Amino acid sequence: HVQLVESGGGSAQAGGSLGLSCDSSKNTYGSYSLTWFRQAPGVEREGVAAIGRYGTTRYADSVKGRFTISRANAKNTLYLQMNSLKPQDSATYYCAAGTGYYPSLVKGDFGYWGQGTQVTVS
């Protein structure tokens, strides 16, 4: 069982930056593909940035060029750097871990989820 804990959410002005982290209890973090999802009220949860086991990445069109996902397997930590933030980026952000090899933005590919961290952009 993998436990995931997000941190780093908060408030930012439009055009600003925030960084999120996701720490795992599992010391084999490198065996999982990892993705950041977000969910705004009344909207379906969507994948925004994904990183596969070997470091390949994939981004939703809405965040491409603004968000950067990275991982530090030795620290069991996943990161999301968010730049040029827009009000429509406001949501609860979740990290998720799955057993696939490749980056995926599909909810059903992930069995482990964090509790979420709120991001508000005004």
Side-chain angles (χ1 to χ4, degrees):
H1 184 69
V2 180
Q3 290 184 311
L4 303 171
V5 179
E6 301 95 340
S7 61
S11 298
Q13 296 289 323
S17 299
L18 281 175
L20 304 181
S21 298
C22 176
D23 293 310
S24 168
S25 61
K26 193 76 171 178
N27 61 9
T28 56
Y29 214 32
S31 299
Y32 295 86
S33 64
L34 304 165
T35 293
W36 286 99
F37 289 81
R38 67 185 181 189
Q39 187 167 22
V43 179
E44 188 173 348
R45 191 171 298 189
E46 62 169 348
V48 295
I51 187 164
R53 292 197 196 188
Y54 305 117
T56 53
T57 58
R58 183 175 181 183
Y59 296 91
D61 288 344
S62 58
V63 306
K64 206 171 288 183
R66 301 188 297 120
F67 289 12
T68 302
I69 189 172
S70 61
R71 62 192 296 168
N73 291 338
K75 296 181 179 180
N76 298 322
T77 302
L78 174 71
Y79 303 99
L80 183 68
Q81 179 63 38
M82 304 183 291
N83 298 328
S84 302
L85 284 163
K86 304 176 180 180
Q88 52 264 47
D89 294 320
S90 297
T92 300
Y93 282 71
Y94 301 88
C95 62
T99 55
Y101 283 86
Y102 304 107
S104 170
L105 300 176
V106 177
K107 272 190 310 186
D109 289 342
F110 297 88
Y112 304 103
W113 294 83
Q115 82 290 348
T117 186
Q118 181 67 39
V119 170
T120 303
V121 184
S122 57

